[in-house]
Amino acid sequence: VTESGDDASSTLFEVLERSRSLGFLGPGPIETHVSHALVFGRATAGAPSRALDLGAGGGLPGLVLLCEMWPSTEWVFVDSQQKRTTFLSESVEVLGQSDRVTVVTERAELVGRDPKFRGGFDLVVARSFAAPAVTAECAAPLLRPGGLLLVSDPPDGPADRWPGNRLSLAGLEPMDTVVEDGVHLSVLKRDDSAIDRLPRRVGIPSKRPLW
């Protein structure tokens, strides 16, 4: 039996409440968190075939986009912490979405080198993964040429968080900035340059960032 829209949304809210009780989600109404997550979906031209949530542990925006936005997109949720991926796996099952989600417990640097994932995604989303240079280095190798990286930025962040001359080192170029409902997103596009050396070994992107 397929859940009705209202029942499915109710289950999603319950899952996100559990995320907060586990310390994975910050304060504020669940409705606001969901609304903010949906901005990621509206920042793209259409539904991706394959998408990856980088640092997906709290379930945002991945679980919301999975349930509320793109009913046919295949997802990979990546987080390095077992307790977070256990929560994600349980949540995906509760939401009845196990058939189109793979949950991976691994460092992003290693996922980016895995042939199963490297260069295989139309979209990577990152809500609160890491500093810009680290996010770019870890996300870009996962994208196919022309794929998009959507990153949530702090509203008061510096204007040069994503410098074009440095982004090119990661095979990315700035495309757009989306400001909606209090959410600030940077939209970056994977170019067709070779970035065979990226990502570097675990820990190196943060110790010696590209910028």
Side-chain angles (χ1 to χ4, degrees):
V1 178
T2 302
E3 285 188 299
S4 70
D6 288 344
D7 289 342
S9 294
S10 176
T11 303
L12 175 61
F13 275 50
E14 291 170 4
V15 164
L16 294 176
E17 287 284 11
R18 180 166 182 256
S19 178
R20 178 151 57 196
S21 73
L22 292 169
F24 303 155
L25 193 61
I30 295 298
E31 292 87 350
T32 300
H33 287 293
V34 170
S35 175
H36 286 185
L38 291 173
V39 177
F40 280 81
R42 291 192 291 272
T44 67
S49 176
R50 295 185 76 208
L52 183 144
D53 190 339
L54 196 59
L60 296 176
L63 289 178
V64 174
L65 297 175
L66 171 75
C67 296
E68 300 286 314
M69 200 82 183
W70 297 319
S72 61
T73 298
E74 294 182 10
W75 280 91
V76 173
F77 293 163
V78 175
D79 202 283
S80 63
Q81 296 188 29
Q82 182 69 60
K83 61 182 180 179
R84 293 176 183 266
T85 54
T86 296
F87 159 75
L88 288 169
S89 295
E90 293 170 351
S91 298
V92 167
E93 186 171 349
V94 166
L95 291 164
Q97 301 288 350
S98 300
D99 59 332
R100 60 190 183 99
V101 180
T102 300
V103 179
V104 178
T105 311
E106 191 56 273
R107 288 287 300 242
E109 298 96 326
L110 298 177
V111 176
R113 287 287 180 184
D114 190 326
K116 294 194 302 293
F117 305 117
R118 187 176 180 90
F121 296 90
D122 308 298
L123 176 70
V124 173
V125 295
R127 179 173 177 264
S128 54
F129 174 68
V134 179
T135 301
E137 177 167 347
C138 291
L142 296 163
L143 289 165
R144 62 166 179 77
L148 297 181
L149 168 60
L150 302 183
V151 188
S152 179
D153 289 324
D156 56 353
D160 60 348
R161 277 173 60 84
W162 304 99
N165 62 330
R166 307 305 290 174
L167 276 171
S168 61
L169 297 174
L172 294 169
E173 56 185 87
M175 290 293 292
D176 197 7
T177 300
V178 175
V179 180
E180 180 186 334
D181 196 24
V183 178
H184 291 237
L185 293 182
S186 287
V187 182
L188 312 172
K189 183 179 180 180
R190 175 75 170 93
D191 61 28
D192 58 2
S193 63
I195 51 170
D196 295 343
R197 71 185 190 93
L198 301 181
R200 292 168 290 172
R201 296 192 316 276
V202 169
I204 298 301
S206 57
K207 291 179 181 176
R208 298 201 298 270
L210 296 177
W211 70 85

